[in-house]
C-alpha cells in the first residue's frame, strides 16, 4: 500500500496561530483545516480497508490553503493599536484579560513547542493585505511557497511585533521566501486584487458557525474548536483512517480561486515521534 494523508487548512487573522512541529521548529498559525484525504490503494486500485494505520515516521503530506478569519473586521485600513490594548478592550478590562490569559495559557503552550516569546505589544492592524498576499502566492506559486511566507509573517508579527498591513514588510517577506520581486508584490497589494475572495470566504465561515479561531474543519465535516492539542487530531485522523470513510471534501478552494491541481500539490511534513 502507499498511504498518504492530505490536509487542506485555512485560517486566522493575518497570521495564524497553530503549533506545528517540523524538524524541531515551531510554526504559528490560526487556521481552519479544509480537508483530510487518505489514499490507500491495493494492486486492484481499491482501498485497503484491512491495512494497519500508518505508524510514526511514515510519509504524510499537508495540503495547505488558508482562508481569512478577521479577528477585527471593523479595523480601518490606517487604524492600529497594540495587541495588549486590543485584548484589554476585548475582555472588558485588565481583570477580564487576566482570566483569559490563565484559561488559554498560550505563553506556556508556545514554550512547549519552542516559542520563547510572543510580543504582547505587537501592532494590531487591518490584516486584509496579508490575507490577500498569502492567497495570491498560493494561487500563483503553490501551497509550499505560501506556507514559507506564512511562517515568516508569523515570525515578523507574533515575535518581532511588526504590523500586518505594512506593504514594505509584506513585500520583503514575500521576496525572501518565494522569489517574487518586491515591486511585483507592491503592485499586487496596491491593486486591491483578491479582496472579494477574502470577503466571500469570511462569509462562508460565518455561515458555518465559525466565530473564533483556531477552528479546524476536517474532511469538510468534523469541526474542532479551540487550541486543541496534537493528540486530539491524531485520534481523529486515526479514526478516519480506520473507518475508510474519507470524503476528501474541499471547502474554500473554489471561493478563494485556488485550482484543485494547486491544492493537490501538498506540503511535505516530518511527523514527530
Amino acid at each position: 500500500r502507499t498511504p498518504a494523508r492530505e490536509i487542506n487548512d485555512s485560517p486566522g487573522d493575518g497570521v495564524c496561530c497553530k503549533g506545528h512541529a517540523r524538524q524541531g521548529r515551531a510554526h504559528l498559525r490560526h487556521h481552519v483545516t479544509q480537508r483530510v484525504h487518505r489514499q490507500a490503494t491495493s494492486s486492484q486500485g481499491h482501498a485497503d480497508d484491512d491495512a494497519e494505520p500508518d505508524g510514526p515516521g511514515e510519509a504524510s503530506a499537508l495540503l495547505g490553503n488558508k482562508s481569512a478569519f478577521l479577528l477585527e473586521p471593523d479595523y480601518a485600513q490606517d487604524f492600529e493599536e497594540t495587541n495588549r490594548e486590543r485584548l484589554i478592550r476585548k475582555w472588558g478590562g485588565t481583570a477580564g484579560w487576566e482570566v483569559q490569559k490563565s484559561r488559554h495559557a498560550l505563553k506556556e503552550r508556545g514554550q512547549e513547542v519552542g516559542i520563547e516569546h510572543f510580543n504582547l505589544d505587537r501592532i494590531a492592524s487591518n490584516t486584509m493585505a496579508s490575507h490577500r498576499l498569502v492567497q495570491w502566492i498560493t494561487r500563483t506559486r503553490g501551497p509550499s511557497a505560501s506556507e514559507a511566507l506564512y511562517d515568516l509573517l508569523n515570525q515578523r508579527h507574533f515575535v518581532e511585533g511588526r504590523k500586518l498591513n505594512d506593504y514594505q514588510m509584506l513585500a520583503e517577506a514575500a521576496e525572501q521566501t518565494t522569489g517574487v520581486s518586491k515591486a511585483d508584490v507592491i503592485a499586487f497589494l496596491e491593486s486591491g486584487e483578491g479582496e472579494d475572495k477574502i470577503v466571500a470566504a469570511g462569509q462562508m465561515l460565518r455561515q458555518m458557525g465559525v466565530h473564533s479561531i483556531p477552528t479546524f474543519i476536517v474532511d469538510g465535516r468534523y469541526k474542532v474548536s479551540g487550541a486543541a492539542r496534537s493528540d486530539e487530531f491524531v485520534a481523529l485522523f486515526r479514526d478516519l483512517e480506520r473507518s475508510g470513510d474519507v470524503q476528501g471534501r474541499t471547502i474554500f478552494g473554489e471561493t478563494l480561486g485556488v485550482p484543485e491541481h494547486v491544492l493537490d500539490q501538498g506540503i511535505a511534513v516530518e511527523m514527530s515521534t
Side-chain angles (χ1 to χ4, degrees), residues 3 7 37 85 162 173 180-181 191 202 204 225 245 249 258-259 272:
I7 305 167
H37 176 55
E85 292 169 335
R162 305 283 295 276
V180 179
S181 73
S191 74
M204 282 186 64
S225 298
D245 181 24
R249 295 176 56 200
V258 183
S272 58

Side-chain angles (χ1 to χ4, degrees), residues 3 9 29 50 60 84 109-110 120 141 165 213 215-216:
D9 63 276
R29 318 182 182 132
D50 296 327
S60 293
R84 187 192 303 268
R109 293 187 62 175
L120 182 58
R141 296 292 176 117
N165 65 353
I213 49 177
T215 296
F216 304 78

Side-chain angles (χ1 to χ4, degrees), residues 2-271:
T2 310
R5 283 187 298 278
E6 300 175 352
I7 305 167
N8 281 346
D9 63 276
S10 92
D13 194 31
V15 150
C16 308
C17 245
K18 173 184 92 164
H20 162 93
R22 184 185 302 171
Q23 297 180 345
R25 185 174 162 225
H27 299 282
L28 310 167
R29 318 182 182 132
H30 295 304
H31 80 163
V32 177
T33 300
Q34 278 191 300
R35 73 171 175 168
V36 175
H37 176 55
R38 171 177 173 256
Q39 296 173 333
T41 57
S42 66
S43 58
Q44 289 79 27
H46 299 293
D48 185 358
D49 295 330
D50 296 327
E52 291 296 318
D54 298 348
E58 292 191 60
S60 293
L62 232 85
L63 300 188
N65 183 48
K66 300 171 179 58
S67 177
F69 184 98
L70 301 176
L71 285 174
E72 299 290 349
D74 296 326
Y75 273 178
Q77 180 60 37
D78 59 352
F79 179 81
E80 59 184 57
E81 62 183 340
T82 69
N83 192 58
R84 187 192 303 268
E85 292 169 335
R86 184 183 76 82
L87 292 174
I88 291 174
R89 171 176 55 78
K90 177 179 180 179
W91 298 113
T94 302
W97 176 49
E98 291 293 338
V99 170
Q100 294 299 319
K101 282 173 62 179
S102 299
R103 175 187 172 194
H104 294 290
L106 292 181
K107 177 181 178 180
E108 293 75 13
R109 293 187 62 175
Q111 291 172 343
E112 289 176 9
V113 293
I115 305 165
E116 295 300 326
H117 173 70
F118 291 107
N119 189 328
L120 182 58
D121 291 305
R122 60 187 178 268
I123 302 300
S125 61
N126 184 295
T127 55
M128 177 62 75
S130 58
H131 283 299
R132 289 174 46 230
L133 177 60
V134 169
Q135 292 302 327
W136 181 58
I137 292 297
T138 301
R139 292 191 299 271
T140 60
R141 296 292 176 117
S144 290
S146 66
E147 188 78 359
L149 170 60
Y150 214 69
D151 285 342
L152 184 55
L153 292 181
N154 283 314
Q155 173 73 22
R156 293 285 184 265
H157 180 62
F158 286 103
V159 177
E160 299 174 15
R162 305 283 295 276
K163 60 182 181 179
L164 290 167
N165 65 353
D166 181 339
Y167 282 15
Q168 286 298 323
M169 185 276 286
L170 295 174
E172 290 168 3
E175 184 176 65
Q176 179 178 335
T177 54
T178 72
V180 179
S181 73
K182 287 189 287 187
D184 286 347
V185 174
I186 294 293
F188 165 76
L189 292 172
E190 291 179 344
S191 74
E193 178 186 336
E195 183 169 345
D196 58 333
K197 294 180 174 61
I198 302 302
V199 171
Q203 292 172 342
M204 282 186 64
L205 289 172
R206 288 190 293 274
Q207 291 168 359
M208 293 165 62
V210 175
H211 302 294
S212 63
I213 49 177
T215 296
F216 304 78
I217 301 171
V218 180
D219 200 32
R221 49 192 169 139
Y222 301 107
K223 184 163 71 173
V224 181
S225 298
R229 294 185 179 273
S230 60
D231 56 354
E232 296 177 57
F233 292 99
V234 170
L236 175 56
F237 297 156
R238 292 303 192 197
D239 286 345
L240 280 169
E241 190 173 40
R242 292 188 184 96
S243 73
D245 181 24
V246 179
Q247 298 178 9
R249 295 176 56 200
T250 59
I251 297 177
F252 299 104
E254 182 176 355
T255 299
L256 292 167
V258 183
E260 189 72 18
H261 74 272
V262 173
L263 292 176
D264 286 341
Q265 290 177 19
I267 301 170
V269 299
E270 289 192 9
M271 306 299 288

